[in-house]
Amino acid sequence: MPRPSFPRPHRDDVLIAVAGLAGGLLQWRLDLFTLFGSRSPDVLSLIPLAVMCCAGLLRRIAQPWALWLATTALVADVVAGSLLATVLMFTDVVYAAALYGPPRTARRVLPVSVLATIALTLTALFTAPLHEAVAIGVTVALISTFPASTGVVVRNHRDQAAAERLRAEQTALLAEMDRVQAVTAERARMARELHDVVANHLSAIAIHATAAQSLDDPAASRKALAVIRENSVQGLAEMRRLIGLLRDADGDEEPSAAPRLDGLDALLEHARAHGAAGGLVFVLRDERSGGPLPAPVELAAYRIVQEALTNALKHAAPGEVTVALAAPGDGPLTVRVTSPHAERSGPRAPGSGAGLIGMRERVELLGGSFSAGPVAESDGRTVWEVRAVLPVDEGSVKRSAERSPEGSGERPGENTRGRSAT
């Protein structure tokens, strides 16, 4: 069975106790007593001194018991002859009780000391001459009230310093958490933008490279290599543009470089060039009737359409791919992209699912709704539908700009309404 461990006295407390004992022995040997009590130059004065030294050893680790022991030793010292060293060590125990004692003891030491000083002073006024009563009152205040008040002040400063350190640590922790969240959000934004910018070109490269490997036709292979080279060059250009925007500390180029819905014609032409061989036909139906849309909304809609067309090139069966935009009045912008959903013969480009995640994140940043999956049309066909509803109210757009500053430039030009391209 392990032995119980007891706290050991502090090194400074041991030094104080030894110094007090040595000083008391020297005073007793030289017959140097205080004015309290009756002078009794015998060994009885050393007993309170020894008890007070024991209380000094326990001044940090055994409050309030050390204070009670010291008070008892002081009373015995006054009766036995009152050595000055015993009185001085009592003041140190009172100070330690206020500084190191439990909170309950520290709160009571000063009021009890004040009450004891008042009580002893009033008692002396009725039992001794006025000058002696005043001297007793001042002396009791010096050995009890003064050290107790000093200990309370030092303890308050120490507790306040500890609270300030804790507050500083909490502030630093919150700042680090904010920094980590900001870095995580920025990394997610960069990953989303990189995927949307480059995935279209890389998907076309993968599709044509797969087709070139599966066809034993030199002409088709040369055509596929030409398309691969074209998309590689365009992808590198997009990468350089995006890296330049990320390095631009002022961000002056970002608004003008952010894509808008006016660029959907060029986006569909690019998709037609790569989807014709797979039997895909692309149709754009722009049925918006409201005014100009905020830049974050148009950027999100453009990226959603871009990613949906990329997925159609990689996974859709031959047929019609429809891009429909609708924004009645001041209502939300609805983006709907449908493509044939069936088993596709021939090679496919691999996918990781990051595009759907990026589209959903863009819509959530604007406070809209997003869905993607197979749906049944009224004519019985099954299509893969990507549907996003983007609110265009000022509150949602402002919150989006604060969370993801991907584009906030002015509208570069008028949009074409009510057209259908095939």
Side-chain angles (χ1 to χ4, degrees), residues 212-243:
Q213 287 179 340
S214 61
L215 298 176
D216 189 13
D217 185 355
S221 298
R222 285 194 298 270
K223 183 177 179 181
L225 289 176
V227 174
I228 290 173
R229 182 185 182 282
E230 177 186 358
N231 281 274
S232 300
V233 173
Q234 293 178 357
L236 287 174
E238 292 288 345
M239 282 289 294
R240 293 191 186 99
R241 182 189 66 84
L242 184 57
I243 292 174

Side-chain angles (χ1 to χ4, degrees), residues 289-310:
S289 59
L293 299 177
V297 176
E298 290 208 8
L299 173 61
Y302 182 93
R303 293 303 191 196
I304 290 171
V305 173
Q306 183 183 43
E307 180 59 29
L309 293 179
T310 301

Side-chain angles (χ1 to χ4, degrees), residues 28-103:
W28 174 79
R29 186 71 179 83
L30 299 176
D31 292 338
L32 299 176
F33 292 87
T34 63
L35 299 178
F36 297 113
S38 60
R39 179 169 179 173
S40 116
D42 52 26
V43 295
L44 293 179
S45 301
L46 300 180
I47 297 176
L49 175 64
V51 175
M52 190 67 73
C53 291
C54 294
L57 289 174
L58 304 176
R59 62 193 289 272
R60 295 175 190 256
I61 61 176
Q63 295 287 358
W65 306 109
L67 181 60
W68 286 110
L69 185 62
T71 303
T72 303
L74 180 66
V75 174
D77 177 73
V78 172
V79 174
S82 187
L83 286 172
L84 181 60
T86 305
V87 177
L88 293 178
M89 290 191 65
F90 175 78
T91 62
D92 180 70
V93 174
V94 174
Y95 169 80
L99 180 59
Y100 303 114

Side-chain angles (χ1 to χ4, degrees), residues 19-297:
L21 181 60
L25 290 175
L26 180 62
Q27 292 175 14
W28 174 79
R29 186 71 179 83
L30 299 176
D31 292 338
L32 299 176
F33 292 87
T34 63
L35 299 178
F36 297 113
S38 60
R39 179 169 179 173
S40 116
D42 52 26
V43 295
L44 293 179
S45 301
L46 300 180
I47 297 176
L49 175 64
V51 175
M52 190 67 73
C53 291
C54 294
L57 289 174
L58 304 176
R59 62 193 289 272
R60 295 175 190 256
I61 61 176
Q63 295 287 358
W65 306 109
L67 181 60
W68 286 110
L69 185 62
T71 303
T72 303
L74 180 66
V75 174
D77 177 73
V78 172
V79 174
S82 187
L83 286 172
L84 181 60
T86 305
V87 177
L88 293 178
M89 290 191 65
F90 175 78
T91 62
D92 180 70
V93 174
V94 174
Y95 169 80
L99 180 59
Y100 303 114
R104 184 177 179 181
T105 301
R107 288 194 301 268
R108 293 183 176 182
V109 170
L110 182 58
V112 172
S113 300
V114 173
L115 292 177
T117 301
I118 295 174
L120 291 175
T121 303
L122 292 177
T123 302
L125 287 174
F126 290 102
T127 60
L130 179 61
H131 66 279
E132 291 184 7
V134 173
I136 290 174
V138 173
T139 304
V140 173
L142 289 176
I143 66 175
S144 61
T145 304
F146 181 74
S149 60
T150 304
V152 170
V153 171
V154 175
R155 185 187 184 106
N156 290 337
H157 282 293
R158 186 189 65 178
D159 294 344
Q160 185 177 3
E164 292 296 334
R165 284 195 299 269
L166 179 60
R167 187 178 296 111
E169 292 174 359
Q170 292 176 345
T171 303
L173 179 61
L174 291 176
E176 179 63 18
M177 292 175 62
D178 291 341
R179 187 192 68 82
V180 171
Q181 292 178 356
V183 171
T184 302
E186 183 65 13
R187 291 180 63 180
R189 185 183 75 89
M190 292 171 59
R192 188 168 56 245
E193 190 70 12
L194 283 170
H195 179 274
D196 293 342
V197 168
V198 183
N200 192 23
H201 298 294
L202 294 182
S203 297
I205 292 172
I207 292 172
H208 286 82
T210 304
Q213 287 179 340
S214 61
L215 298 176
D216 189 13
D217 185 355
S221 298
R222 285 194 298 270
K223 183 177 179 181
L225 289 176
V227 174
I228 290 173
R229 182 185 182 282
E230 177 186 358
N231 281 274
S232 300
V233 173
Q234 293 178 357
L236 287 174
E238 292 288 345
M239 282 289 294
R240 293 191 186 99
R241 182 189 66 84
L242 184 57
I243 292 174
L245 294 178
L246 294 175
R247 288 178 175 174
D248 184 13
D250 298 331
D252 295 335
E253 298 181 6
E254 188 169 356
S256 61
R260 309 297 292 259
L261 291 179
D262 289 336
L264 288 183
D265 284 332
L267 187 63
L268 263 72
E269 287 296 332
H270 185 270
R272 292 189 188 100
H274 300 301
L280 295 176
V281 178
F282 295 87
V283 177
L284 173 63
R285 295 191 176 92
D286 191 348
E287 301 174 356
R288 292 176 292 159
S289 59
L293 299 177
V297 176

